[in-house]
Amino acid sequence: MNEKQTGLEWFNINVKSLLVDDFELKYVDEKDGDLGDLSGVQFDLDKKGGYVYFWSSGYVGFQLVDYEKELEVVEDTTEEITSRSYDEVFNTLLLQLK
């Protein structure tokens, strides 16, 4: 991960391009939550949807759900980014979106 690259910049480069044009994107920006300031994106389509969140404290969260099958394709996950890159942390999500 490029240290100067924000979470949303990483999302726009690495995830947004994997989402078909029909996905509705909702950008989230909230201050002073339990894990610090939150920025992220919720993405939804009739068949599936999910989210990618980045907190100022170094935590990330993500999930992908198949609405038709009522199944979590990528389990609701919140974890702290330590020495791993965004590519490593979000690998499971990226593989399911390809």
Side-chain angles (χ1 to χ4, degrees):
M1 171 181 72
N2 180 342
E3 290 300 321
K4 295 182 180 180
Q5 189 178 53
T6 68
L8 286 181
E9 289 170 337
W10 179 88
F11 174 89
N12 287 327
I13 293 167
N14 296 282
V15 180
K16 189 175 180 180
S17 63
L18 299 174
L19 302 174
V20 294
D21 292 336
D22 294 341
F23 270 97
E24 178 184 333
L25 301 180
K26 178 182 176 188
Y27 286 83
V28 177
D29 185 18
E30 298 178 10
K31 302 293 181 204
D32 299 324
D34 292 343
L35 297 174
D37 296 344
L38 168 70
S39 61
V41 182
Q42 298 169 353
F43 46 93
D44 281 300
L45 189 63
D46 290 340
K47 296 178 182 182
K48 62 183 169 182
Y51 66 87
V52 174
Y53 293 156
F54 303 92
W55 283 275
S56 61
S57 62
Y59 282 84
V60 297
F62 55 95
Q63 180 183 36
L64 181 63
V65 176
D66 184 319
Y67 298 137
E68 291 181 326
K69 296 178 183 176
E70 298 181 2
L71 173 72
E72 271 187 305
V73 178
V74 176
E75 187 176 326
D76 185 14
T77 303
T78 301
E79 67 178 80
E80 186 174 15
I81 297 286
T82 52
S83 61
R84 298 183 334 155
S85 69
Y86 286 145
D87 290 332
E88 290 176 276
V89 172
F90 291 107
N91 185 51
T92 305
L93 178 67
L94 294 171
L95 290 172
Q96 291 298 323
L97 291 172
K98 288 184 180 181

